[in-house]
Coordinates of all heavy atoms in Angstrom, one line a residue:
Q1 N 14.6 11.5 0.5 CA 13.2 11.4 -0.1 C 13.0 10.1 -0.8 O 12.0 9.4 -0.6 CB 13.0 12.6 -1.0 CG 12.9 14.0 -0.3 CD 12.5 15.0 -1.3 OE1 13.1 15.0 -2.4 NE2 11.7 15.9 -0.9
F2 N 14.0 9.6 -1.6 CA 13.8 8.4 -2.3 C 13.7 7.2 -1.4 O 13.0 6.3 -1.7 CB 15.0 8.3 -3.3 CG 14.9 7.1 -4.3 CD1 14.0 7.1 -5.3 CD2 15.7 6.0 -4.1 CE1 13.9 6.1 -6.2 CE2 15.6 4.9 -5.0 CZ 14.6 5.0 -6.0
S3 N 14.5 7.2 -0.4 CA 14.5 6.1 0.6 C 13.2 6.0 1.2 O 12.6 4.9 1.5 CB 15.6 6.2 1.6 OG 16.9 6.3 1.0
S4 N 12.6 7.1 1.6 CA 11.2 7.1 2.2 C 10.2 6.6 1.3 O 9.3 5.8 1.7 CB 10.9 8.5 2.8 OG 10.7 9.4 1.7
I5 N 10.3 7.0 0.0 CA 9.3 6.6 -1.0 C 9.3 5.1 -1.3 O 8.4 4.3 -1.3 CB 9.4 7.5 -2.2 CG1 9.0 8.8 -2.0 CG2 8.6 6.9 -3.4 CD1 7.5 9.0 -1.6
V6 N 10.6 4.6 -1.4 CA 10.8 3.2 -1.7 C 10.3 2.3 -0.5 O 9.6 1.3 -0.7 CB 12.3 2.9 -1.9 CG1 12.5 1.4 -2.0 CG2 12.7 3.5 -3.3
G7 N 10.6 2.7 0.7 CA 10.1 1.9 1.8 C 8.6 2.0 2.0 O 7.9 1.0 2.2
A8 N 8.1 3.2 1.8 CA 6.6 3.4 1.9 C 5.9 2.6 0.8 O 4.9 1.9 1.1 CB 6.3 4.8 1.8
V9 N 6.3 2.6 -0.4 CA 5.6 2.0 -1.5 C 5.7 0.4 -1.4 O 4.8 -0.3 -1.6 CB 6.1 2.5 -2.8 CG1 5.6 1.6 -4.0 CG2 5.8 3.9 -3.1
T10 N 6.9 0.0 -1.0 CA 7.2 -1.5 -0.8 C 6.1 -2.2 0.1 O 5.7 -3.3 -0.2 CB 8.6 -1.7 -0.4 OG1 9.5 -1.2 -1.4 CG2 8.9 -3.2 -0.3
Y11 N 5.9 -1.4 1.3 CA 5.1 -2.1 2.3 C 3.8 -1.4 2.5 O 3.0 -1.7 3.4 CB 5.8 -2.1 3.6 CG 7.1 -2.9 3.6 CD1 8.3 -2.3 3.4 CD2 7.0 -4.3 3.7 CE1 9.4 -3.1 3.4 CE2 8.2 -5.0 3.6 CZ 9.4 -4.5 3.5 OH 10.5 -5.2 3.4
L12 N 3.3 -0.6 1.5 CA 2.0 0.0 1.6 C 0.8 -1.0 1.5 O -0.1 -0.9 2.3 CB 1.9 1.1 0.5 CG 0.5 1.8 0.4 CD1 0.2 2.6 1.7 CD2 0.5 2.8 -0.7
S13 N 0.9 -1.9 0.5 CA 0.0 -2.9 0.5 C -0.2 -3.7 1.8 O -1.3 -4.0 2.2 CB 0.2 -3.8 -0.7 OG -0.7 -4.9 -0.8
K14 N 0.9 -4.1 2.3 CA 1.0 -4.9 3.6 C 0.4 -4.1 4.6 O -0.3 -4.6 5.5 CB 2.3 -5.2 3.8 CG 2.6 -6.2 5.0 CD 4.1 -6.4 5.3 CE 4.3 -7.3 6.4 NZ 4.1 -8.7 6.1
Y15 N 0.6 -2.7 4.6 CA 0.1 -1.8 5.7 C -1.4 -1.8 5.6 O -2.1 -1.9 6.7 CB 0.7 -0.4 5.5 CG 0.2 0.5 6.6 CD1 0.8 0.6 7.8 CD2 -0.7 1.5 6.3 CE1 0.4 1.4 8.8 CE2 -1.1 2.4 7.2 CZ -0.6 2.4 8.5 OH -1.0 3.3 9.5
L16 N -2.0 -1.7 4.5 CA -3.4 -1.7 4.3 C -4.1 -2.9 4.8 O -5.2 -3.0 5.4 CB -3.8 -1.4 2.9 CG -3.4 0.0 2.3 CD1 -3.9 0.1 0.8 CD2 -3.9 1.2 3.2
E17 N -3.4 -4.1 4.6 CA -3.9 -5.3 4.9 C -3.9 -5.5 6.4 O -4.9 -6.0 7.0 CB -3.1 -6.4 4.2 CG -3.5 -7.9 4.5 CD -2.8 -8.9 3.9 OE1 -1.8 -8.5 3.0 OE2 -3.0 -10.1 4.0
Q18 N -2.8 -5.2 7.0 CA -2.6 -5.4 8.5 C -3.3 -4.4 9.3 O -3.8 -4.7 10.4 CB -1.1 -5.5 8.9 CG -0.4 -6.7 8.3 CD -0.9 -8.0 8.8 OE1 -1.3 -8.1 10.0 NE2 -0.8 -9.1 8.1
Q19 N -3.3 -3.1 8.9 CA -3.9 -2.1 9.6 C -5.4 -2.0 9.5 O -6.1 -1.7 10.5 CB -3.3 -0.8 9.3 CG -3.6 0.5 10.1 CD -3.0 0.4 11.5 OE1 -3.5 0.9 12.5 NE2 -1.8 -0.3 11.6
Y20 N -6.0 -2.1 8.3 CA -7.3 -1.9 8.1 C -8.1 -3.2 7.7 O -9.3 -3.1 7.4 CB -7.5 -0.8 7.0 CG -6.9 0.4 7.4 CD1 -5.7 0.9 6.8 CD2 -7.5 1.3 8.2 CE1 -5.1 2.1 7.2 CE2 -7.0 2.6 8.6 CZ -5.8 2.9 8.0 OH -5.2 4.1 8.4
G21 N -7.4 -4.3 7.7 CA -8.1 -5.6 7.4 C -8.5 -5.7 6.0 O -9.4 -6.5 5.6
Q22 N -7.9 -5.0 5.0 CA -8.1 -5.1 3.6 C -7.4 -6.3 3.0 O -6.3 -6.6 3.4 CB -7.7 -3.9 2.8 CG -8.4 -2.6 3.4 CD -9.9 -2.6 3.3 OE1 -10.4 -3.0 2.3 NE2 -10.6 -2.0 4.3
S23 N -8.0 -7.0 2.0 CA -7.4 -8.0 1.3 C -6.3 -7.5 0.5 O -6.2 -6.3 0.1 CB -8.4 -8.8 0.4 OG -8.9 -8.0 -0.6
S24 N -5.2 -8.4 0.1 CA -4.2 -7.9 -0.7 C -4.6 -7.4 -2.2 O -4.1 -6.5 -2.6 CB -3.1 -9.0 -0.9 OG -2.6 -9.4 0.4
S25 N -5.6 -8.2 -2.7 CA -6.1 -7.9 -4.0 C -6.7 -6.5 -4.0 O -6.5 -5.7 -4.9 CB -7.0 -8.9 -4.5 OG -8.1 -9.1 -3.6
K26 N -7.5 -6.2 -3.0 CA -8.2 -4.9 -2.9 C -7.2 -3.8 -2.6 O -7.3 -2.7 -3.2 CB -9.3 -4.9 -1.7 CG -10.1 -3.6 -1.7 CD -11.1 -3.7 -0.6 CE -11.9 -2.4 -0.5 NZ -13.1 -2.5 0.6
A27 N -6.2 -4.1 -1.8 CA -5.2 -3.0 -1.5 C -4.5 -2.7 -2.7 O -4.2 -1.5 -3.1 CB -4.4 -3.5 -0.4
N28 N -4.0 -3.7 -3.5 CA -3.3 -3.4 -4.7 C -4.2 -2.7 -5.8 O -3.7 -1.9 -6.6 CB -2.7 -4.7 -5.3 CG -1.6 -5.3 -4.5 OD1 -0.8 -4.5 -3.9 ND2 -1.5 -6.6 -4.4
F29 N -5.4 -3.1 -5.8 CA -6.4 -2.5 -6.8 C -6.5 -1.0 -6.4 O -6.5 -0.1 -7.4 CB -7.7 -3.2 -6.7 CG -8.8 -2.5 -7.6 CD1 -8.8 -2.7 -8.9 CD2 -9.7 -1.7 -7.0 CE1 -9.8 -2.1 -9.7 CE2 -10.7 -1.1 -7.8 CZ -10.7 -1.3 -9.2
L30 N -6.7 -0.6 -5.2 CA -6.9 0.7 -4.8 C -5.6 1.6 -5.1 O -5.7 2.7 -5.6 CB -7.2 0.8 -3.3 CG -8.6 0.3 -2.9 CD1 -8.8 0.4 -1.4 CD2 -9.7 1.2 -3.6
I31 N -4.4 1.0 -4.8 CA -3.3 1.7 -5.1 C -3.1 1.9 -6.6 O -2.6 3.1 -6.9 CB -2.0 0.9 -4.6 CG1 -2.1 0.8 -3.0 CG2 -0.8 1.5 -4.9 CD1 -1.0 -0.1 -2.4
G32 N -3.4 0.9 -7.4 CA -3.2 1.2 -8.8 C -4.3 2.1 -9.4 O -3.9 2.9 -10.3
V33 N -5.5 2.0 -8.9 CA -6.6 2.9 -9.5 C -6.5 4.3 -9.0 O -6.8 5.3 -9.8 CB -7.9 2.2 -9.2 CG1 -9.1 3.2 -9.6 CG2 -8.1 0.9 -9.9
I34 N -6.1 4.5 -7.7 CA -6.2 5.9 -7.1 C -4.8 6.5 -7.2 O -4.7 7.7 -7.6 CB -6.8 5.7 -5.7 CG1 -8.2 5.2 -5.8 CG2 -6.8 7.1 -5.0 CD1 -8.9 5.0 -4.4
A35 N -3.8 5.9 -6.6 CA -2.6 6.5 -6.4 C -1.8 6.8 -7.7 O -1.3 7.9 -7.9 CB -1.7 5.7 -5.4
L36 N -1.6 5.8 -8.5 CA -0.8 5.9 -9.8 C -1.3 7.0 -10.6 O -0.5 7.9 -11.1 CB -0.7 4.6 -10.4 CG 0.0 3.5 -9.7 CD1 0.2 2.2 -10.5 CD2 1.4 4.0 -9.2

């Protein structure tokens, strides 16, 4: 479980940028405001 979470969180911002065309700043903002 921990391995999956570490890998997912590490590249989540990159995934949002490459998959949905979101900027890095917006992706990190959404992760911080919504997920945390």
Side-chain angles (χ1 to χ4, degrees):
Q1 288 184 323
F2 185 72
S3 299
S4 67
I5 291 300
V6 169
V9 172
T10 302
Y11 296 101
L12 178 58
S13 175
K14 185 184 182 75
Y15 181 79
L16 296 181
E17 181 181 356
Q18 293 294 330
Q19 189 70 207
Y20 301 102
Q22 304 296 320
S23 64
S24 297
S25 58
K26 183 178 180 180
N28 291 325
F29 175 79
L30 290 173
I31 294 172
V33 171
I34 298 177
L36 294 183

